[in-house]
Amino acid sequence: MRIRPKGVGFTPRLICWMGTGRHNTKEGTMTSTTIDRVRALVEPVVSDLGLEIYDLEQRGGTLRVMIDTPPGSESGVSLDTIAVVTRLVSRELDHEDPIPGKYTLEVTSPGVERALRTPHHFTREVGKRITVRLADPSVEQRRVEGLLSSSDGSVIVLDTDAGPLTIDISAIDKAKTIFEWGPAPKPGGPRNKKPRQTGTSTTDLASSKDSGTDAEEQP
C-alpha cells in the first residue's frame, strides 16, 4: 500500500528540545539564502566538535539551531556541549551578522524522541520505530506506527503489524521517533544469581601455601 499527498504538503513541526542556550542580537523571517549563510557559519563550528546540524529554522524572533551526534553514536549531546556551541555560534553570528533585525539564538538537541520533518531526517533514522500522522484528514487510518525500514528521500517504508506500508514524505503532516525501553531483567536471571563458589579461594590458596612452608621447616 502506498499513501500519496492529497493537496497538502509536508508541515514542519518540532516536538521537543533539551538544553537551551540564548543570546540576544539584532525580528524577521529568514529567506533560503539567509538560511544557507547561517548554515555555512554554524556547520564548521559543530563539525569541529564532532557534531552535526540536525535542524535549523527561524520562528518569529527565535533562531533555533538543533545539533546532534552522528548516527550510530552511543551518547547524545551534553548540556556542557550545548553551552560551548551556543557561545561559539553566537560569536560567529555577531561577527558576520547574517540575519537582519532582532532575534534570539537558541541551541538545542533533538532528544530521544525527535521530530522528523525533512527527507534527511527520515533517511538518518532508518532502523528506528516511528509514529506518523498523515496530512489528509479523510484517510481511514490517519496515524500509523512501525519500524522505519527504508527511505529514499521521497518515500518511506514502514514495517507495521499489518505489513509493509509505503508513504510519500510529502503526504506526512507530522512524524517522530519512538523511544523504546529495553526489556527488564527476568527474576532469577543472570544479574540476580549469586556467583558460583569455586573450590579454592585466593585466601585458601595462600593458607595452603603457608601451611606447606611451615611443614618443610619442621625437622
Side-chain angles (χ1 to χ4, degrees):
M1 179 179 179
R2 179 167 179 167
I3 300 174
R4 297 180 180 275
K6 186 178 180 181
V8 181
F10 185 80
T11 304
R13 294 182 182 177
L14 290 175
I15 298 174
C16 62
W17 311 273
M18 58 183 291
T20 301
R22 297 183 182 274
H23 168 72
N24 291 323
T25 65
K26 327 174 187 182
E27 182 165 42
T29 301
M30 290 196 300
T31 63
S32 58
T33 302
T34 304
I35 291 177
D36 290 340
R37 290 181 61 193
V38 172
R39 183 178 293 275
L41 292 172
V42 174
E43 210 152 31
V45 173
V46 299
S47 179
D48 286 346
L49 296 173
L51 304 171
E52 296 181 354
I53 297 177
Y54 184 81
D55 212 346
L56 179 64
E57 67 167 359
Q58 183 184 23
R59 286 194 173 189
T62 299
L63 169 63
R64 182 170 295 118
V65 179
M66 191 171 291
I67 59 175
D68 198 12
T69 51
S73 300
E74 295 182 357
S75 59
V77 182
S78 68
L79 294 178
D80 289 341
T81 300
I82 287 178
V84 171
V85 173
T86 301
R87 184 174 67 253
L88 296 177
V89 169
S90 173
R91 185 176 63 187
E92 290 296 321
L93 295 178
D94 278 347
H95 184 263
E96 298 294 336
D97 198 18
I99 305 174
K102 183 179 179 180
Y103 62 93
T104 297
L105 171 65
E106 182 178 283
V107 178
T108 74
S109 70
V112 292
E113 290 194 342
R114 55 195 56 194
L116 307 174
R117 72 182 198 94
T118 70
H120 175 66
H121 290 167
F122 288 97
T123 302
R124 194 179 191 276
E125 303 302 326
V126 167
K128 295 185 179 180
R129 194 163 187 83
I130 70 171
T131 178
V132 172
R133 189 177 74 178
L134 302 175
D136 185 1
S138 65
V139 296
E140 182 177 352
Q141 185 178 357
R142 192 178 181 189
R143 189 180 297 275
V144 291
E145 180 181 317
L147 181 71
L148 179 59
S149 60
S150 69
S151 172
D152 65 2
S154 59
V155 299
I156 65 172
V157 177
L158 284 185
D159 290 339
T160 70
D161 293 339
L165 179 64
T166 302
I167 307 174
D168 281 22
I169 292 179
S170 56
I172 298 174
D173 172 53
K174 185 177 181 179
K176 69 172 182 176
T177 60
I178 300 174
F179 178 70
E180 296 183 293
W181 292 95
K186 296 180 179 180
R191 292 185 179 180
N192 295 325
K193 289 183 178 180
K194 294 182 179 180
R196 295 177 58 186
Q197 297 293 330
T198 57
T200 307
S201 67
T202 304
T203 304
D204 292 334
L205 287 172
S207 300
S208 299
K209 184 177 180 181
D210 292 342
S211 299
T213 303
D214 292 342
E216 292 176 359
E217 290 178 351
Q218 292 178 359

